Amino acid sequence: MTHRLSALAAVLMALASCKSAKPAEPTKPPEPAAPPIAMVHSSVVATSCPQVTQFNAKQAENAIKKLVEPCERIPGGAARFTATMLPGGQIQLGSPEGDPVEGTVPTCVTKNVLTHKVFLRKACVFQVELEERPIMAPQPAQSQTGTDS
């Protein structure tokens, strides 16, 4: 009988401790981390544009900048290539200095229509460099809970 009483007492003690224990608070899911933010910086330099007027040179530079404008990410962080504007309206992409091993043209550039509307008598070659630069995301505003001092 004492064995039964001690077993019953153990069960009652276990039940009592369950009642007095606080239920576990639900855990908050971690706040999602903001995706990394980057800005693509482009540099466009005309290396060979014979017989181009000042107006046409600016127009040609704007056409090349428009070509790289949609690039939001650059695989590997940087790309360097040539963009040659041909008479008749086509743009050819290639490697710098004609070395096929060196140049990297990101897909975001090749998805564009490779044409221009600048009147040219001879080909106009541009060196294009793209670099992805990380920027700091703004911190979320925190509510202030406190008293004014």
Side-chain angles (χ1 to χ4, degrees):
M1 177 88 126
T2 54
H3 181 61
R4 278 190 185 174
L5 285 176
S6 58
L8 181 61
V11 169
L12 289 175
M13 294 270 294
L15 288 174
S17 69
C18 286
K19 277 188 169 181
S20 65
K22 255 185 163 177
E25 290 187 26
T27 58
K28 290 183 180 179
E31 290 191 27
I37 298 174
M39 180 177 79
V40 174
H41 173 74
S42 64
S43 171
V44 178
V45 178
T47 58
S48 171
C49 277
Q51 300 177 350
V52 177
T53 66
Q54 184 66 26
F55 174 74
N56 281 356
K58 191 68 174 165
Q59 228 181 359
E61 186 178 329
N62 288 338
I64 298 300
K65 284 185 177 183
K66 184 169 243 144
L67 184 70
V68 300
E69 195 172 77
C71 295
E72 294 176 357
R73 309 283 283 156
I74 305 297
R80 185 171 175 239
F81 58 95
T82 60
T84 304
M85 297 175 71
L86 302 172
Q90 288 188 328
I91 299 174
Q92 288 181 343
L93 304 176
S95 62
E97 295 89 31
D99 186 350
V101 177
E102 290 293 314
T104 305
V105 180
T107 308
C108 56
V109 173
T110 61
K111 288 182 178 180
N112 287 315
V113 178
L114 301 176
T115 59
H116 67 87
K117 295 180 182 179
V118 181
F119 174 75
L120 298 171
R121 293 182 187 187
K122 293 187 178 184
C124 188
V125 181
F126 290 87
Q127 291 289 331
V128 181
E129 292 185 19
L130 302 175
E131 182 182 4
E132 187 176 317
R133 297 180 180 169
I135 56 176
M136 298 300 293
Q139 296 296 323
Q142 296 181 1
S143 62
Q144 293 189 359
T145 57
T147 59
D148 291 338
S149 302

